[in-house]
Amino acid sequence: MSTSIRPLTCLGMSLLFSFSLLAQKPKKILGIAKEVHPVSYYEEQSSLWQKELKKSPANTEAWANYYRAERAKLQLEQPDLWSDGKNDFYAQLDPILVKAKPHIGETFDYQYIKGMNTPRAKAIRYFAAAYRIDPDRPEVYGWLLAVYVPEFESAKLKDLAPRMLQSNIYSNASLKWNYNALQSIDQNGIIITNGDTDSMQKWVLQYGAGIRTDVLVINKWILATEDEYRSKVLKLLGIQSPAKFQKDFKNITAYADYLAAEVLRGSNRPAYISGGTDLDYFKQFGLENKMYLVGNVIRYSAQPFDNTAAMRTNFEQKYYLDYLLQNFQTHPEDQMVKERMNLTYLPALMHLRNHYARTGQKVKYKQALVFINRIAEDSGRKDEVLSWFDRAD
């Protein structure tokens, strides 16, 4: 009897495996700034989109997603290549563009991926072309924003940013996190940001909704790579040209870190940096005793500063926090916000929890605990996250 079952079992397993392969469908690729996946996911998606192209070589959606999958995979596999040598990075992806051009060369999607695979100064040509072909498609909005901001193109930004809000490119959670960061900053202050997710949404809120337009949001990567932007920013802040140049550093990351430290120290306006910045960074530049946590941002102050009062004002009066407990929107960014961005609230919330315990404020102590536990739980690694602070205590 067992001999008759085994072939059937093997056949069933084989059919099940075959059906699972057939059931796999390619998914829209959002990119590493908007979703959290391993390299293997992008490898699989790249393969699936290539199969779509074999069936229909003129499938513009397939070309765009195939490119984005290969781009995300390369960013994860070779992060230094992305941050330090974009020309080499683009060169590795260029064969995709060469193959795509005969099939979709005059389309929105071709202009879009061509812009993604071109240095910033020249990319605007392709993104603008895509925008002219179809101004209602949101894929190029963020790329255009990243070009217009360093050029201080206010009129174009005020036209583009409302479109970005209306198209729901960014999640409610991501916008609220960035709103809270902006509200943490003193009047006419500046904030140095570390990447797309703590830069783009702030610009959209400023130019699209008129929120905290007095704040200068400075992306440290653009500061390091755009000479004209850097000159304008330094002039606005009353900072002399730094003593060191890009050639003095082993890579662009080190140069960007150096410039951020120079801006924090030299700004003639209240200066902040995004929460989540590695503490070793502050030690490297001798800033560790001049940085004060005030919420999901960190303030530079050469003089002693009562950051507990600032934290209380932010969390008790300024911040939108209800989204942490109940968010009615479902958005592709949600996982990334929960796993990364919301964790930047925890150091300040832990500090406030201890403050409320010492001062006998039981209701506020319980509220802080609710937020702490929800953020840690939503991260998907509650015990690990809470243990960071147990060690710190």
Side-chain angles (χ1 to χ4, degrees), residues 100-120:
K101 189 173 182 179
H103 302 288
I104 62 167
E106 302 301 319
T107 66
F108 174 98
D109 285 291
Y110 179 78
Q111 300 298 328
Y112 165 50
I113 60 176
K114 181 67 175 177
M116 289 179 70
N117 210 57
T118 303
R120 185 191 302 271

Side-chain angles (χ1 to χ4, degrees), residues 59-349:
N59 185 334
T60 58
E61 179 188 14
W63 280 111
N65 282 287
Y66 169 40
Y67 172 83
R68 286 196 294 256
E70 285 295 312
R71 179 188 177 94
K73 181 165 72 77
L74 190 58
Q75 285 174 310
L76 293 174
E77 288 179 331
Q78 301 186 49
D80 291 340
L81 187 66
W82 169 245
S83 60
D84 299 329
K86 285 191 171 60
N87 287 334
D88 293 335
F89 179 90
Y90 296 141
Q92 291 201 35
L93 295 171
D94 197 54
I96 298 174
L97 279 296
V98 173
K99 293 177 183 177
K101 189 173 182 179
H103 302 288
I104 62 167
E106 302 301 319
T107 66
F108 174 98
D109 285 291
Y110 179 78
Q111 300 298 328
Y112 165 50
I113 60 176
K114 181 67 175 177
M116 289 179 70
N117 210 57
T118 303
R120 185 191 302 271
K122 297 180 180 179
I124 183 63
R125 166 187 170 189
Y126 301 104
F127 292 134
Y131 187 74
R132 287 193 298 272
I133 292 170
D134 191 346
D136 293 325
R137 284 189 60 176
E139 291 97 318
V140 297
Y141 291 172
W143 298 94
L144 289 172
L145 189 81
V147 172
Y148 294 153
V149 165
E151 297 176 356
F152 293 89
E153 294 274 8
S154 295
K156 292 179 179 178
L157 288 164
K158 288 177 182 178
D159 173 69
L160 180 65
R163 288 178 179 269
M164 297 180 75
L165 285 175
Q166 292 164 10
S167 64
N168 291 319
I169 294 174
Y170 302 119
S171 69
N172 173 65
S174 179
L175 289 170
K176 290 284 178 62
W177 185 92
N178 280 280
Y179 172 90
N180 290 340
L182 285 171
Q183 295 296 354
S184 306
I185 300 167
D186 282 354
Q187 189 70 23
N188 296 317
I190 69 165
I191 181 166
I192 299 170
T193 59
N194 293 313
D196 289 348
T197 54
D198 61 342
S199 302
M200 308 292 278
Q201 291 88 329
K202 289 183 179 69
W203 290 324
V204 169
L205 289 170
Q206 289 181 312
Y207 290 102
I211 293 169
R212 292 306 305 270
T213 57
D214 59 293
V215 175
L216 179 61
V217 178
I218 304 169
N219 182 294
K220 73 176 186 180
W221 300 105
I222 301 178
L223 193 69
T225 56
E226 299 287 331
D227 295 343
E228 187 174 348
Y229 174 72
R230 181 168 59 253
S231 297
K232 288 179 179 178
V233 167
L234 295 178
K235 184 177 180 180
L236 282 171
L237 302 181
I239 300 173
Q240 297 293 322
S241 296
K244 295 182 180 180
F245 302 92
Q246 183 175 342
K247 64 181 177 60
D248 299 317
F249 297 87
K250 64 179 181 179
N251 54 43
I252 198 69
T253 302
Y255 183 46
D257 287 343
Y258 163 75
L259 288 173
E262 290 293 295
V263 169
L264 286 171
R265 274 193 289 251
S267 173
N268 57 13
R269 298 162 61 168
Y272 300 74
I273 194 167
S274 286
T277 303
D278 195 323
L279 294 179
D280 288 338
Y281 167 76
F282 300 126
K283 292 178 182 177
Q284 178 185 353
F285 291 97
L287 298 171
E288 68 270 27
N289 295 321
K290 298 178 180 179
M291 304 306 300
Y292 294 85
L293 188 67
V294 296
N296 63 347
V297 304
I298 306 167
R299 177 177 175 171
Y300 171 87
S301 179
Q303 304 301 321
F305 172 67
D306 183 4
N307 64 323
T308 300
M311 283 187 225
R312 289 190 60 189
T313 298
N314 290 333
F315 278 93
E316 294 174 14
Q317 300 176 27
K318 293 183 177 181
Y319 282 6
Y320 283 134
L321 296 173
D322 287 350
Y323 83 92
L324 294 170
L325 304 179
Q326 192 167 45
N327 186 12
F328 294 108
Q329 182 197 43
T330 299
H331 194 279
E333 280 188 340
D334 288 344
Q335 181 185 6
M336 179 269 297
V337 174
K338 290 178 179 179
E339 292 186 6
R340 299 177 186 172
M341 297 170 71
N342 287 343
L343 293 179
T344 61
Y345 290 122
L346 286 179
L349 281 169

